[in-house]
Amino acid sequence: MAEKTAAERVALARHPQRPNITDYIDGLFTDFFEQRGDRACREDPAILGGIALFHGRPVTVIGTRKGKTLEENLRCNFGMPGPEGYRKALRLMKQAEKFRRPIFTFIDTAGAYPGLEAEEHGQGEAIARNLFEMSRLTVPVIAVVTGEGNSGGALALAVADRVLMLENAVYAILSPEGFASILWKDAQRSGEAAELMKLTAPELKKLGVIDGIVREPEGGAQADPSRTLWNLDRALTACLEPLLKESAVSLTERRYQKFRALGRGKEDA
């Protein structure tokens, strides 16, 4: 079977029937209790979060939310959070830290919402605050890129002890169309851009940006969601168990060193 091109993986990552955060919560966790609002401005439906049980252990679950229909996508702004969403996510993370709950984040977003209102409400500051605070959390954090993981809007939920990607997910500084528009002034060259960007899970694993790849069924996660959930459950369990044995000091130091090493050559890393 031929290896998929980067453009083909981008198409699979964007498939409208690909499992979303509600599917992962229903399939991997029990007793989910949603928590809403950032306690400052409003509720942002583009981020879903709350408390749940993972194999009987209390955890906090947070994820960007995309819909599978036009109506669902309109309700959650096509999975593009505003600053209120990131502040809600941080509120839940700090609560998890207080009560010593591990944190799972699920990322599937084209990026943070770039609208005028979001900028007026402090989009950049909200994302930067998440990066800063997540780097210092004293509980285990596991992030999973399940579809698209673009820009700071994805990274704001991905400063984690373990970063996983589904096999056909993509993770990059921006979309291939945006990359092509900036570099060549031609969004039609997005396929070429996708190859150059090294945004696929195998490429990012080689570069040390992510820690593991979760296999998908042939045809993508949407072809057999139950199999995808089973594979992901095994991966999350394998990541969580050793992290639970580490001290708070060890967790924060290892996380700091992990992200400091990104972008260095193999010899430096």
Side-chain angles (χ1 to χ4, degrees), residues 5-247:
T5 66
E8 288 171 338
R9 293 193 190 275
V10 170
L12 283 172
R14 294 172 173 173
H15 195 287
Q17 295 305 310
R18 194 171 177 84
N20 60 20
I21 180 62
T22 56
D23 297 312
Y24 293 116
I25 288 174
D26 291 343
L28 297 171
F29 305 93
T30 59
D31 299 277
F32 177 70
F33 176 72
E34 183 180 358
Q35 296 179 292
R36 298 183 180 183
D38 66 346
R39 298 295 187 267
C41 186
R42 68 179 181 92
E43 158 66 6
D44 184 354
I47 285 187
L48 174 64
I51 305 167
L53 296 178
F54 181 68
H55 295 286
R57 177 182 295 278
V59 298
T60 290
V61 185
I62 303 165
T64 45
R65 174 160 47 188
K66 279 185 179 179
K68 294 182 181 178
T69 66
L70 178 59
E71 292 75 15
E72 289 177 351
N73 272 312
L74 287 171
R75 283 197 295 271
C76 62
N77 200 33
F78 293 85
M80 296 185 291
E84 297 83 5
Y86 293 113
R87 291 182 182 125
K88 174 174 69 172
L90 181 58
R91 178 175 74 82
L92 299 185
M93 292 180 204
K94 298 301 286 186
Q95 181 196 81
E97 182 178 47
K98 178 179 179 179
F99 292 102
R100 311 306 305 162
R101 292 192 298 264
I103 299 167
F104 293 98
T105 67
F106 295 84
I107 298 154
D108 184 11
T109 180
Y113 181 57
L116 179 61
E117 182 181 89
E119 299 299 334
E120 289 175 340
H121 290 183
Q123 184 76 287
E125 186 277 337
I127 291 173
R129 176 64 60 180
N130 275 30
L131 304 184
F132 173 72
E133 296 289 354
M134 286 189 77
S135 71
R136 307 195 306 170
L137 289 171
T138 58
V139 293
V141 185
I142 300 173
V144 187
V145 183
T146 61
E148 286 186 284
N150 288 344
S151 190
L155 188 58
L157 296 181
V159 182
D161 301 292
R162 299 288 186 271
V163 180
L164 306 178
M165 285 179 69
L166 293 191
E167 186 178 3
N168 294 309
V170 294
Y171 189 28
I173 56 169
L174 78 171
S175 69
E177 291 83 0
F179 184 98
S181 295
I182 292 169
L183 194 62
W184 302 304
K185 313 300 182 188
D186 183 4
Q188 298 302 313
R189 295 176 67 178
S190 60
E192 184 180 349
E195 294 293 341
L196 289 174
M197 293 171 72
K198 309 296 183 187
L199 45 63
T200 66
E203 292 283 3
L204 293 170
K205 182 69 169 60
K206 289 178 186 176
L207 293 170
V209 174
I210 65 169
D211 302 292
I213 300 172
V214 180
R215 292 292 301 273
E216 294 185 31
E218 179 63 27
Q222 75 287 344
D224 189 350
S226 61
R227 183 68 183 181
T228 303
L229 289 166
W230 189 82
N231 290 342
L232 185 52
D233 181 83
R234 292 184 63 195
L236 293 177
T237 301
C239 287
L240 181 61
E241 291 306 319
L243 293 175
L244 291 171
K245 299 174 184 177
E246 293 199 37
S247 67

